[in-house]
Amino acid sequence: EIVKVKGVDCIQTGRNDISQALGVPGENLHPKVLEAEKRIVSAALDAGKQVSLVHSLNADGLERAARWMEQGVRIMNIDSDYMVLLESYKGAVKKLRPS
């Protein structure tokens, strides 16, 4: 029903919130969470709404993002700025540390 509300132009799922609601806290890639996300995204797209999703900056996350884009999702957030910076700095420190 939420995706059908007039004036709501964009729906963003939150796998953290979904995992909590489904009793699998922190398991963002749990099958129950992914199925719920799929239902939400499908309903939103069917209602003509834009959808925004967040995926990790790794091979799995990018693959998931690409699949959703094929389904019509146009707003992708690839990880948070904090995580992107953290991973970048971790890589730099690893390269700079003596062997």
Side-chain angles (χ1 to χ4, degrees):
E1 295 301 314
I2 292 171
V3 301
K4 295 177 184 176
V5 172
K6 187 175 179 174
V8 172
D9 298 321
C10 184
I11 302 296
Q12 181 166 7
T13 66
R15 284 189 304 275
N16 280 327
D17 294 335
I18 294 170
S19 72
Q20 290 284 338
L22 294 176
V24 288
E27 295 185 48
N28 297 349
L29 299 178
H30 188 282
K32 291 194 308 188
V33 173
L34 296 178
E35 181 57 34
E37 180 178 62
K38 182 179 178 181
R39 285 193 319 270
I40 294 165
V41 171
S42 294
L45 291 174
D46 288 347
K49 308 297 179 157
Q50 293 293 321
V51 175
S52 174
L53 297 174
V54 179
H55 292 285
S56 296
L57 183 57
N58 59 33
D60 181 59
L62 295 175
E63 181 181 321
R64 287 175 189 283
R67 281 185 289 181
W68 278 121
M69 289 174 71
E70 290 171 1
Q71 299 298 314
V73 175
R74 296 291 173 250
I75 304 169
M76 288 293 167
N77 297 290
I78 305 300
D79 239 323
S80 67
D81 53 354
Y82 166 78
M83 289 305 295
V84 171
L85 286 170
L86 177 64
E87 291 304 313
S88 179
Y89 281 118
K90 281 171 45 177
V93 168
K94 184 176 180 179
K95 288 179 182 179
L96 292 173
R97 280 197 174 137
S99 309

